[in-house]
Amino acid sequence: MKKWTLLALLLAVLTVLAACGDSDEESGGGDGETYRVGIDTTYPPFEFEDEGEYTGIDIDLINAIAENQGFEIEFNPMDFGGIIPALQADQLDVAIAGMSITDERKEIVDFSDPYFDAGLSLVVAEDNSDITSLEDLEGKTVAVKSGTTGAQFARDNEDEYGYEISQFEDSPSMFQEVSNGNADVLLEDYPVIAYAIAESELALKTVGERLTGDQYGIAVLKGENAELLEQINAGLQELRDSGEYDEILNKYIAE
């Protein structure tokens, strides 16, 4: 009887251990997943490098969402114009790059809930008093960044206002082109150019009213990663509710 009792006890212990192991595996199944995140580090205050570290509103935001929702991320910096093609080529899982939500992009990607209200501004050299609106652009050269809503806006309105377009792959080159007089004006999202002028003491200024009312969203390839998109939206909402979202914005943008 003692042998059978001992055997039953051992079997009970093994059963409990096996059950615990299964439980651990199940509880960890949704955690620790690593997603490849496309960013453009030439886009302060949303994404930039500081002493070799990625930082900015977008960086802090996606890190906080990942922590809140229990997944990992791997940043992949690249030119903005290459981010959506990289999603299509399965080189990225997520894109957060100050990306405006547009109908054209919605044909390729699914966006999260909006996380920032932006809008395009006209930007000229600080000593330029000739340009204050789109009506002043006839015969002028307009600098834009490839793949952005600024570039699309410029193309859409080129014939109406009679200017020429000069495209660049990064924001600093575009800023320099206007500063040194090789282009007359540039189109950029207001918070980006306002931050750049304040932090880098660029010889530039914004003029006129904002031209658009863009909103930024976090993107995944259309029809893919629906569960991840749900997590992103859930995390974003929790950050708003807790006040952490406002803390991230206030860290980089002083109202």
Side-chain angles (χ1 to χ4, degrees):
M1 289 294 294
K2 290 183 179 179
K3 290 182 179 180
W4 286 110
T5 301
L6 181 59
L7 179 59
L9 180 60
L10 288 173
L11 287 173
V13 171
L14 289 173
T15 300
V16 170
L17 289 174
C20 290
D22 290 341
S23 176
D24 289 343
E25 287 179 7
E26 289 174 5
S27 66
D31 297 337
E33 185 77 23
T34 299
Y35 296 105
R36 301 160 298 174
V37 178
I39 58 174
D40 173 8
T41 57
T42 67
Y43 204 60
F46 292 90
E47 301 162 26
F48 57 102
E49 284 193 64
D50 183 20
E51 298 182 353
E53 298 290 331
Y54 300 136
T55 189
I57 293 170
D58 287 353
I59 304 299
D60 288 4
L61 190 62
I62 195 65
N63 274 328
I65 290 171
E67 181 178 358
N68 180 274
Q69 293 295 304
F71 59 81
E72 303 292 330
I73 53 177
E74 174 187 290
F75 288 118
N76 288 258
M78 61 185 67
D79 290 338
F80 183 84
I83 289 179
I84 287 182
L87 283 170
Q88 293 176 292
D90 194 30
Q91 297 169 351
L92 297 173
D93 303 301
V94 184
I96 182 167
M99 185 179 291
S100 297
I101 300 171
T102 67
D103 290 338
E104 182 180 13
R105 287 174 178 156
K106 283 181 179 179
E107 295 178 1
I108 305 171
V109 302
D110 291 324
F111 281 105
S112 69
D113 296 332
Y115 70 88
F116 191 85
D117 294 329
L120 289 172
S121 288
L122 289 173
V123 184
V124 299
E126 62 182 358
D127 60 355
N128 185 321
S129 58
D130 298 328
I131 298 174
T132 59
S133 68
L134 291 171
E135 286 74 16
D136 300 322
L137 298 184
E138 185 173 358
K140 306 297 186 183
T141 300
V142 177
V144 297
K145 183 176 175 180
S146 297
T148 63
T149 52
Q152 185 63 54
F153 183 93
R155 289 192 296 271
D156 291 344
N157 293 277
E158 184 177 10
D159 292 339
E160 180 177 354
Y161 294 104
Y163 50 75
E164 294 184 357
I165 299 173
S166 182
Q167 294 203 89
F168 298 86
E169 296 303 317
D170 60 83
S171 295
S173 297
M174 179 176 63
F175 299 159
Q176 185 61 39
E177 194 76 353
V178 175
S179 294
N180 63 24
N182 290 335
D184 300 291
V185 62
L186 65 88
L187 290 171
E188 182 60 282
D189 288 347
Y190 177 79
V192 175
I193 190 60
Y195 179 88
I197 291 172
E199 293 295 315
S200 304
E201 299 182 352
L202 298 176
L204 300 172
K205 64 180 180 181
T206 61
V207 292
E209 299 294 326
R210 296 192 200 184
L211 305 176
T212 61
D214 296 347
Q215 293 182 306
Y216 291 165
I218 303 168
V220 300
L221 190 63
K222 190 174 183 65
E224 304 289 337
N225 277 330
E227 185 177 345
L228 173 59
L229 195 60
E230 288 181 7
Q231 287 183 283
I232 289 171
N233 281 330
L236 180 58
Q237 187 59 53
E238 290 199 26
L239 294 181
R240 290 184 188 277
D241 293 342
S242 70
E244 187 173 354
Y245 169 85
D246 289 329
E247 291 176 6
I248 291 172
L249 259 60
N250 292 336
K251 178 180 175 181
Y252 298 96
I253 301 176
E255 297 293 342

